[in-house]
């Protein structure tokens, strides 16, 4: 119970923290809408304009991934720049318990992208929100978003090992959009990308959302998304302990 | 005259080295080459799947866009980071023309953008199998250069706003996102409503991308000249706008004593 309370309070604190940043607010508010508009015009120009709802959901998922990648993935870097990383690491809890609320909060913030693209599509482009399985969508969306937040812990721990995490962040946005089939089916990609895509929780999350939108077996996909994200969470927790010990031993916590 | 060129040349090179962080190759490759390359591949596959545009449309368009991003962020950083790093006051205390100092900074960013575009174009065409005739390369380079110069001056315009607004990264990030949508590099311009098309037509690279696509298809100089000239005009307009904004905002910043306010 104490852990759950800590996660909830940590999420709330981080969301409040981000809400004070004009940069974060502007980017998180505007960019998903631009992506949704882009997706709408691309699909309108195509021979399959009937898939506009799937395009809007896909664009929303792209926004969730961007939020997780740049927010959750860069959480440790951000703490370092703000000079608060050492204090966080001094806290008498496991590192994963310190950073999980931050990455979950970024996932939750990313859910705005999903909501915004749907509202934008409905209001401006008249896209009918005819979900094949609306109740499944209402369950799938938050579970997927939180799963990706948990996946963010692995990113965060990986990025702390690298001095130039921002370069990796910039390089990772589009490949995951592409490999996860957020805007177009994975079947249109070369066959060798299949195993890579299957290992990403984003692929299964996007698939579950698509199945809830257009019809299909939602729960197996959602189950895979949660399972792979949980595995990433465990690996991230182990990695964070390793990183913390290494940084303490080398006295490079603020420099690593 | 020699001193002016020295100010423009040496000053801009030193500022480029000082303000950019990619003294390490991994940051340069990760941020400026890998990311845009995957962006190109992403949109090329989207184009193939949706039959919106062919490979040439997306490969050439996104190569121009890669140069633009490099230049827009570079130009913004050229002025914005002076304030962030606390060196803006020193620059403005200089007895030389600040307009020249800052406008000169467009050169290394444009060259950097041209390099990025060339690499992205070469790798993208190789990976996705697009053949560009050798005879088209000089004109293609000209189009990429025009787009890069216009983008660099556009970036400086955004950077000049940094003398007035505290968080210019909001402006540059949102503008960069809008460039993906409005410049016709990913959505054909005739698919956009007239209002969005009008905004796109005054943004850098819209005309450079159109000219570059024609050049890659084998069109001659006469055929692409109108688009090239329009792009050059847009570059000039942003250069003038930058100079005006720098003068106005510098005077305003001095008057309000807000030069180093972050």
């Amino acid at each position: 119970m104490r852990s759950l309370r800590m996660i909830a309070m940590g999420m709330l604190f981080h969301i409040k923290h981000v809400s004070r940043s004009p940069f974060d607010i502007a980017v998180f508010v505007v960019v998903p809408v631009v992506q949704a508009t882009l997706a709408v015009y691309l699909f309108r120009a195509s021979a399959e304009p009937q898939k506009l709802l799937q395009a809007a959901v896909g664009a929303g998922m792209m926004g969730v991934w961007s939020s997780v990648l740049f927010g959750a993935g860069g959480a440790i870097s951000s703490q370092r720049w703000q000079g608060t990383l050492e204090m966080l690491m001094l806290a008498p809890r496991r590192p994963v318990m310190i950073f999980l609320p931050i990455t979950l909060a970024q996932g939750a913030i990313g859910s705005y992208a999903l909501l915004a693209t749907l509202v934008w599509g409905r209001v401006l482009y008249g896209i009918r929100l005819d979900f094949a399985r609306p109740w499944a969508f209402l369950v799938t969306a938050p579970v997927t978003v939180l799963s990706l937040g948990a996946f963010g812990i692995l990113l965060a721990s990986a990025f702390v090992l690298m001095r130039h995490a921002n370069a990796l962040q910039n390089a990772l946005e589009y490949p995951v959009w592409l490999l996860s089939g957020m805007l177009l089916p994975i079947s249109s990609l070369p066959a060798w990308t299949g195993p890579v895509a299957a290992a990403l929780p984003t692929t299964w999350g996007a698939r579950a959302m698509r199945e809830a939108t257009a019809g299909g077996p939602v729960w197996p996909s959602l189950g895979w998304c949660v399972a792979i994200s949980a595995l990433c969470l465990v690996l991230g927790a182990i990695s964070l302990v390793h990183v913390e010990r290494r940084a303490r031993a080398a006295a490079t916590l603020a420099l690593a | 005259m020699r001193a002016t060129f020295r100010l423009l040349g040496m000053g801009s090179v030193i500022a480029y080295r000082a303000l950019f962080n990619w003294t390490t190759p991994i940051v340069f490759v990760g941020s400026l080459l890998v990311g845009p390359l995957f962006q190109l591949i992403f949109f090329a596959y989207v184009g193939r799947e949706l039959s919106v545009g062919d490979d040439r449309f997306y490969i050439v368009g996104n190569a121009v866009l890669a140069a633009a991003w490099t230049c827009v962020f570079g130009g913004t950083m050229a002025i914005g980071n002076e304030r962030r790093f606390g060196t803006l006051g020193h620059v403005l205390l200089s007895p030389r023309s600040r307009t020249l100092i800052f406008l000169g900074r467009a050169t290394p960013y444009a060259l950097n953008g041209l390099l990025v575009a060339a690499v992205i174009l070469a790798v993208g065409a190789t990976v996705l199998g697009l053949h560009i005739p050798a005879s088209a390369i000089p004109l293609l380079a000209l189009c990429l250069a025009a787009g890069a110069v216009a983008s660099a001056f556009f970036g400086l315009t955004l950077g000049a706003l940094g003398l007035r607004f505290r968080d210019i990264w909001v402006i540059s990030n949102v503008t960069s996102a809008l460039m993906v949508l409005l410049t016709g590099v990913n959505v054909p311009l005739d698919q956009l409503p007239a209002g969005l098309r009008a905004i796109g037509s005054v943004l850098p690279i819209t005309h450079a991308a159109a000219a570059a696509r024609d050049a890659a298809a084998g069109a001659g100089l006469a055929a692409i000249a109108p688009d090239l000239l329009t792009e050059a005009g847009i570059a000039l307009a942003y250069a003038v706008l930058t100079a005006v904004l720098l003068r106005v905002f510098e005077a305003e910043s001095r008057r309000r004593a807000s030069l180093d306010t972050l």
Side-chain angles (χ1 to χ4, degrees):
Chain A
M1 187 55 75
R2 280 180 59 200
S3 296
L4 283 178
R5 184 171 180 276
M6 184 176 172
I7 289 173
M9 292 303 292
M11 284 181 69
L12 184 64
F13 182 82
H14 188 71
I15 289 171
K16 280 186 175 178
H17 178 71
V18 171
S19 73
R20 299 299 186 272
S21 161
F23 174 82
D24 285 334
I25 291 172
V27 171
F28 283 132
V29 166
V30 176
V31 172
V33 169
V34 174
Q35 286 169 349
T37 310
L38 183 73
V40 165
Y41 281 115
L42 279 170
F43 275 73
R44 268 188 176 177
S46 76
E48 299 176 294
Q50 74 278 9
K51 289 188 175 175
L52 279 176
L53 179 58
Q54 286 185 54
V57 171
M61 276 296 289
M62 287 161 63
V64 175
W65 168 243
S66 297
S67 174
V68 168
L69 178 65
F70 289 101
I76 292 178
S77 299
S78 302
Q79 297 295 338
R80 181 181 289 128
W81 293 332
Q82 291 162 16
T84 49
L85 183 60
E86 295 96 322
M87 282 176 273
L88 287 176
M89 284 299 189
L90 280 172
R93 300 300 294 263
R94 290 177 184 276
V96 67
M97 289 303 295
I98 307 292
F99 291 102
L100 185 61
I102 296 175
T103 60
L104 287 177
Q106 281 299 147
I109 291 167
S111 63
Y112 158 80
L114 194 57
L115 190 65
T117 54
L118 291 176
V119 172
W120 183 257
R122 179 74 193 101
V123 172
L124 206 68
Y125 300 108
I127 299 172
R128 292 175 60 86
L129 304 182
D130 289 332
F131 292 98
R133 303 180 66 181
W135 291 108
F137 186 84
L138 288 178
V139 175
T140 304
V143 172
T144 301
V145 163
L146 290 178
S147 294
L148 296 190
F151 176 47
I153 279 288
L154 184 61
L155 293 174
S157 61
F159 287 171
V160 84
L161 288 170
M162 306 178 66
R163 287 182 58 216
H164 302 297
N166 54 346
L168 187 65
Q169 282 173 313
N170 291 335
L172 274 180
E173 189 175 35
Y174 277 93
V176 173
W177 285 356
L178 186 67
L179 287 172
S180 306
M182 290 181 183
L183 208 57
L184 66 156
I186 298 169
S187 57
S188 62
L189 302 177
W192 62 265
T193 59
V196 182
L200 295 172
T202 46
T203 303
W204 298 101
R207 187 168 166 176
M209 302 278 277
R210 194 166 51 249
E211 284 162 342
T213 305
V218 176
W219 309 119
S221 304
L222 189 62
W224 277 110
C225 174
V226 173
I228 297 174
S229 293
L231 180 64
C232 291
L233 178 61
V234 172
L235 291 176
I238 295 169
S239 176
L240 273 174
V241 171
H242 168 73
V243 166
E244 183 204 6
R245 286 179 182 164
R246 204 182 75 159
R248 279 176 189 262
T252 57
L253 199 55
L255 308 171
Chain B
M1 184 57 79
R2 188 178 166 191
T4 301
F5 278 110
R6 185 174 161 78
L7 177 69
L8 283 171
M10 291 299 292
S12 58
V13 168
I14 291 170
Y16 175 83
R17 290 181 60 190
L19 287 177
F20 273 136
N21 295 321
W22 32 71
T23 46
T24 54
I26 189 170
V27 179
F28 185 94
V29 171
S31 296
L32 296 189
L33 299 181
V34 177
L37 182 62
F38 278 118
Q39 180 179 345
L40 182 157
I41 293 171
F42 174 80
F43 280 109
Y45 273 103
V46 168
R48 284 180 183 178
E49 180 67 19
L50 299 178
S51 304
V52 176
D54 59 12
D55 279 359
R56 187 171 62 231
F57 181 87
Y58 282 104
I59 293 171
V60 176
N62 280 283
V64 180
L65 183 63
W69 275 16
T70 307
C71 296
V72 168
F73 279 103
T76 307
M77 289 166 77
I79 303 175
N81 271 0
E82 295 280 7
R83 188 178 202 180
R84 186 179 164 202
F85 295 161
T87 49
L88 182 60
H90 298 82
V91 175
L92 298 186
L93 278 173
S94 161
R96 306 298 298 274
S97 162
R98 264 82 66 194
T99 303
L100 267 186
I101 290 174
F102 284 121
L103 287 182
R105 292 185 182 179
T107 311
Y109 301 125
L111 292 174
N112 193 36
L114 191 57
L115 172 71
V116 168
V119 173
I120 296 295
L121 185 60
V123 177
T126 306
V127 169
L128 296 171
L130 174 69
H131 174 69
I132 297 172
S135 58
I137 289 175
L139 282 183
L140 196 51
L142 190 61
C143 298
L144 293 174
V149 171
S151 302
F153 282 125
F154 180 64
L156 287 175
T157 304
L158 298 183
L161 295 174
L163 295 186
R164 180 67 184 86
F165 302 102
R166 271 186 261 176
D167 202 342
I168 49 167
W169 305 114
V170 172
I171 301 170
S172 54
N173 274 278
V174 170
T175 305
S176 300
L178 286 172
M179 285 177 75
V180 181
L181 173 67
L182 301 176
T183 53
V185 291
N186 289 312
V187 182
L189 281 175
D190 57 7
Q191 299 292 334
L192 294 175
L196 295 184
R197 258 202 322 269
I199 298 172
S201 67
V202 294
L203 287 175
I205 78 165
T206 301
H207 303 279
R213 286 187 187 114
D214 290 341
L221 181 60
I224 65 170
D227 274 325
L228 267 182
L229 287 174
T230 308
E231 189 73 25
I234 287 172
L236 183 64
Y238 280 120
V240 172
L241 183 59
T242 303
V244 172
L245 289 180
L246 282 172
R247 278 185 172 274
V248 171
F249 288 149
E250 182 188 337
E252 179 75 0
S253 298
R254 286 177 188 272
R255 192 178 65 80
R256 294 160 54 113
S258 60
L259 271 180
D260 288 326
T261 307
L262 281 172

